Amino acid sequence: MIARIAEAEREGWLDEVEGLLVCLAGVEEKLRQLHRGHGQQTAVDLGIPAARGDR
């Protein structure tokens, strides 16, 4: 993504640069969220499946 931003800047594609910067900011924020939540998983109760004859 950094390379695409650099290319867009070289070519003078200002709208493209802006869009890529917004996208990059979103990706960076998502990575921060993932790192903050690492190790904080919670268990999810999936229930006990019923045998085919128990329905």
Side-chain angles (χ1 to χ4, degrees), residues 1-43:
M1 183 164 283
I2 301 296
R4 290 184 64 188
I5 293 169
E7 177 187 13
E9 286 174 338
R10 277 193 313 274
E11 297 296 330
W13 303 332
L14 301 181
D15 289 342
E16 184 76 8
V17 171
E18 185 178 344
L20 289 169
L21 289 172
V22 168
C23 185
L24 179 60
V27 168
E28 290 172 337
E29 176 58 27
K30 187 64 175 180
L31 287 172
R32 281 191 292 276
Q33 290 173 4
L34 289 172
H35 286 263
R36 280 193 303 263
H38 185 68
Q40 297 179 357
Q41 296 94 4
T42 57

